[in-house]
Each structure stands twice: as C-alpha cells, then as structure tokens.
Amino acid sequence: MKKRILSFALALCFVLTLLPAAFADSAPTSGKCGDNLTWRLNGSVLTISGKGDMDDYDDFYLERAPWYEYKDRIIYVVIEPGVTSIGGHAFMECYNLKSVAIPSGLTTIGDYAFEYCTKLETITIPDSVTCVGDFAFQSCKALKYIELPSGIANINVATFYNCANLQSVSIPYGVISIENGAFDNCSRMKSITIPATVTSLGLTSIFEGCSALKDIYYSGTKEQWEELKAEMWSEDREEIEDATIHYIKMRPKAPELKITTSAGKPKLSWNAVNGAVKYWIYRSTDGVNFKYYDSTTSISYTNKSTSVGTTYYYKVKAVTVSDGENVASGYSNVKSIQCKPAAPSVSIYRTNGKPQLKWNAVTGAAKYWIYRSTDGVNFKYFDSTTRTSYTNSGAASGTKYYYRVK
C-alpha cells in the first residue's frame, strides 16, 4: 500500500513538473504591441507590422515586451513600413539578436531599446529617426559600426555605453550635444569625428574607458575645441591628451532631390540638411556637363528660365559655413524633366446658342488642340486653333458637351 501511495505521489509530481512547460509551449507567438501594431514570431524572425507607435515597456516594473519570454529565440527583427517608433526596452536582453531592419519613416528609438543585445553587430538607422533614447544600445558588445541618422540633434545619455567593439564613430553635422556617458567604456574605439555644431559635451560624454582612442577629427577651430574640453571633468581631459586632434572641414550630407513642374517650369525640392545655410543648384542639358546655376536658402527652387521642348538635368549641393568658409556636400542624385507648355485655364460661355471656349495665352505655345466629349469621360481630338478662344459652331442644340484644351 505504501509503495502504491509513493508511486502515485511521484507520478503526480512528474505531471505537475510538466505543466509549466506545456503552458509555455501553448503561449501565443503573436499579438498586439501598440494601438495599431501587431507582432508575430516565426521561428527566429520577429516581425512588427501596422501603423503608428510601438508601446513603451518598463523593466523596473517588470512591464516587458510581449515577446520577452521568447527573447533567446529571436535572431532577426523586421520592422515593417508604417511603424513610427521602437518602444523603450522593446528588445532588451535579446542576447541572440544579430540583425534589425528599420524602415524609413520611423522617428524614435526608445530608451534601453536594444540594451544587452550582445550579438548585434550592425544596424542601419534611417535619417527619418530624430531621437535615439538613453542607454538605447548599452552593452551591445558586438556592435562594430554605427551610422547615426542626420536628423538627430543630441546623442543621449549612455546611448552607446560599454559597446566594447565599436571602433569608429562619425557624429552627424547638426548634432548639438553629446550627453554624459554616450560613448564611455568603448574600449576599442580608435577614432571619433565631431562636427563644430556640437556646443555641449557631458562631463563624461567620451573618453572615459576609451583606451584605444588615437584620433579625434573636429570640424571647428582649436579655440572652439578647447572650450568644449573645458566642460568635461579634469581626469577625462587628461585621458584624451594622447589622442591626435585633426582640425577638418566636415561636409554636410548630400540632399535627396525630387522634381515636378509648376506652370510648365521645372520645380526642384529636397530635404532640409542639418547645418546647411544654403543650397547650390547645378544644371545641364545633356546629363553630363553640369554647371553652377543658382543658389537658394530655401528647400525648393523653380527654374523659370527654360525653353519648351528642352530636357534639363539638375543636381544640388548643401552648403555649410565653417570658420568663415563655405563647405559643400557631395552632389545630390540627378533628376531630369522635359519642359512642356503649361496647361491653359479654360472658361466656357454661350455665344448665339453655341459653346465658346476661352483660355489664357500660354508662353511658348504655337497652337492649341481642342478635345470634346458628350459624357465627360471619353474625350476625342476635335479641332485646332492658334487663337485663345474657340466657338464650336457645329454643336447640336440640346446636347451637353465637355471640353479640354492642350
């Protein structure tokens, strides 16, 4: 009897031991992670889909991301277009995460978002991102290279703290401040490039624990650099004395060019470039030989001096001023357009019971083509004139006509 009771007890313990594992296996591998966002884990790939911001999570209160229990399975993260933020602590302690795909249009990476992702080697952050949070990449010890987005204004507190494999960093032109601990303990970092737009360094923003640092590239003057150094603690200033300071002219990023027409004239537009005070426009009629054409402080430009029928090609450079000198970016992408006459603006009247069309004279137009329809959908070429008015004398009484003019 005692043996039976003992056997039953052991069997019961065995069943109870298996229950947590069974429940874990049946836990969902998809769900919500924002008001309009969902997540799905398929094997080792975690995909975030939808529109809008991701929820923020808080490790201190054990409010963790819904995929946290599967964190050791996650090797790849795909964030699809439409997602506008990565929540705080979202991928914290995903120790096996190697790759993250971030779409253009995402604007924010939250605090501690990738903390302790120790196998993450590279990540591309699109220029749409304007904020990378505190401790966002803390202890990403495999991270060797990071290209920071041109739209950020600050490198926040301890953003890259203890990224032991990070070897070089280029701070984008337009960044204003580098906060405390931003690059501390990056023990293999050999060089850093700092633009003259940086006006504030945290007390321990760089150099503490950066024993391999040999070269600092700075786009301001020696006097400006000395003023920046004065903000740091004295022991940190002493640590960088062995590094060589190179005073350079740091180019802004090239703009991304788009082209449309306005009243028959080429209209160029491009993104604002951090630190740019003006933009130089270059023009060509063969797509090969470009010449400087004009300058503007705006982020759009209409080329009013063009000829109908000619194809024009354009490139743009962003220009900053460093130590009293113009410093230009590389060329933007090339865009071209063939100049066509502007579309006339047509009015319609009755003259002796017949439709009479009138329109404005279009610069460069030699004649005007008239199109007619009786259903407002299917238009056919009807007639031509060199004038700026036309009376449809053959129109039938009682029929409704629709007109267009080229």
Side-chain angles (χ1 to χ4, degrees):
M1 183 67 178
K2 289 182 179 179
K3 288 183 179 180
R4 289 182 181 177
I5 293 173
L6 180 59
S7 297
F8 178 78
L10 289 172
L12 182 60
C13 288
F14 181 71
V15 170
L16 291 174
T17 301
L18 290 177
L19 281 176
F23 285 135
D25 288 341
S26 64
T29 52
S30 63
K32 293 193 68 174
C33 55
D35 289 343
N36 297 296
L37 297 187
T38 59
W39 66 276
R40 183 174 185 82
L41 182 61
N42 185 3
S44 61
V45 181
L46 175 64
T47 303
I48 312 295
S49 308
K51 304 288 184 182
D53 291 341
M54 188 186 298
D55 288 337
D56 284 313
Y57 305 100
D58 193 330
D59 185 53
F60 182 80
Y61 293 103
L62 300 181
E63 296 172 353
R64 290 172 173 160
W67 50 81
Y68 183 80
E69 63 181 296
Y70 310 109
K71 61 186 176 63
D72 293 337
R73 285 171 48 183
I74 299 171
I75 297 177
Y76 307 101
V77 169
V78 177
I79 300 172
E80 295 188 338
V83 180
T84 52
S85 75
I86 295 174
H89 294 89
F91 306 107
M92 176 192 71
E93 297 177 1
C94 289
Y95 297 115
N96 293 312
L97 178 62
K98 291 183 178 180
S99 172
V100 181
I102 301 178
S104 178
L106 190 132
T107 60
T108 304
I109 297 176
D111 296 346
Y112 300 89
F114 295 95
E115 182 188 34
Y116 294 115
C117 292
T118 53
K119 290 187 179 178
L120 184 64
E121 293 184 359
T122 61
I123 186 168
T124 300
I125 304 175
D127 285 338
S128 56
V129 171
T130 57
C131 179
V132 180
D134 296 347
F135 298 89
F137 294 94
Q138 178 187 208
S139 296
C140 290
K141 294 186 178 182
L143 193 64
K144 294 180 179 178
Y145 173 77
I146 186 79
E147 184 173 348
L148 295 168
S150 61
I152 60 173
N154 307 290
I155 310 295
N156 286 320
V157 173
T159 302
F160 298 98
Y161 176 78
N162 201 31
C163 289
N165 256 319
L166 195 60
Q167 297 183 14
S168 66
V169 174
S170 182
I171 308 297
Y173 202 95
V175 169
I176 297 170
S177 69
I178 304 174
E179 303 295 339
N180 288 345
F183 297 99
D184 280 1
N185 218 31
C186 293
S187 57
R188 295 184 184 174
M189 187 165 69
K190 297 177 181 178
S191 67
I192 187 167
T193 302
I194 303 174
T197 54
V198 172
T199 57
S200 175
L201 288 177
L203 296 176
T204 61
S205 54
I206 309 168
F207 313 128
E208 186 174 284
C210 297
S211 56
L213 187 66
K214 299 299 180 187
D215 295 286
I216 299 171
Y217 298 89
Y218 181 63
S219 69
T221 64
K222 183 177 181 179
E223 291 74 19
Q224 288 174 305
W225 176 246
E226 293 300 326
E227 288 179 9
L228 274 180
K229 280 202 309 182
E231 296 184 23
M232 297 190 297
W233 281 343
S234 58
E235 54 265 37
D236 294 320
R237 292 199 299 270
E238 292 172 4
E239 283 192 15
I240 64 172
E241 293 304 324
D242 291 336
T244 301
I245 309 296
H246 307 268
Y247 296 98
I248 61 170
K249 300 298 182 185
M250 190 172 176
R251 290 186 173 194
K253 192 165 185 175
E256 182 71 21
L257 181 60
K258 297 178 182 178
I259 193 166
T260 57
T261 57
S262 176
K265 300 296 182 181
K267 183 176 182 180
L268 316 179
S269 62
W270 53 87
N271 57 298
V273 174
N274 268 355
V277 296
K278 56 186 172 182
Y279 300 89
W280 290 343
I281 297 155
Y282 295 78
R283 193 176 81 167
S284 167
T285 53
D286 62 7
V288 177
N289 301 294
F290 285 83
K291 292 184 178 180
Y292 171 80
Y293 184 75
D294 207 348
S295 175
T296 181
T297 57
S298 179
I299 56 171
S300 65
Y301 181 85
T302 300
N303 187 187
K304 296 181 179 178
S305 299
T306 55
S307 299
V308 170
T310 302
T311 299
Y312 294 93
Y313 302 81
Y314 298 90
K315 295 193 289 192
V316 175
K317 286 183 176 182
V319 184
T320 65
V321 176
S322 178
D323 201 19
E325 296 181 10
N326 289 325
V327 180
S329 71
Y331 287 110
S332 71
N333 54 315
V334 177
K335 289 291 184 180
S336 65
I337 198 165
Q338 185 183 53
C339 288
K340 297 180 180 180
S345 180
V346 180
S347 300
I348 191 165
Y349 308 89
R350 281 193 183 90
T351 301
N352 297 322
K354 302 297 181 181
Q356 184 183 48
L357 315 180
K358 291 185 179 181
W359 55 86
N360 57 300
V362 174
T363 303
K367 57 185 173 181
Y368 301 90
W369 291 342
I370 297 154
Y371 294 76
R372 193 177 79 167
S373 167
T374 55
D375 61 6
V377 177
N378 301 294
F379 285 82
K380 292 183 178 180
Y381 171 80
F382 182 73
D383 206 347
S384 173
T385 181
T386 58
R387 305 179 64 181
T388 57
S389 65
Y390 180 85
T391 300
N392 186 187
S393 57
S397 179
T399 301
K400 186 174 184 178
Y401 293 97
Y402 301 81
Y403 297 90
R404 286 177 174 171
V405 177
K406 284 187 178 181

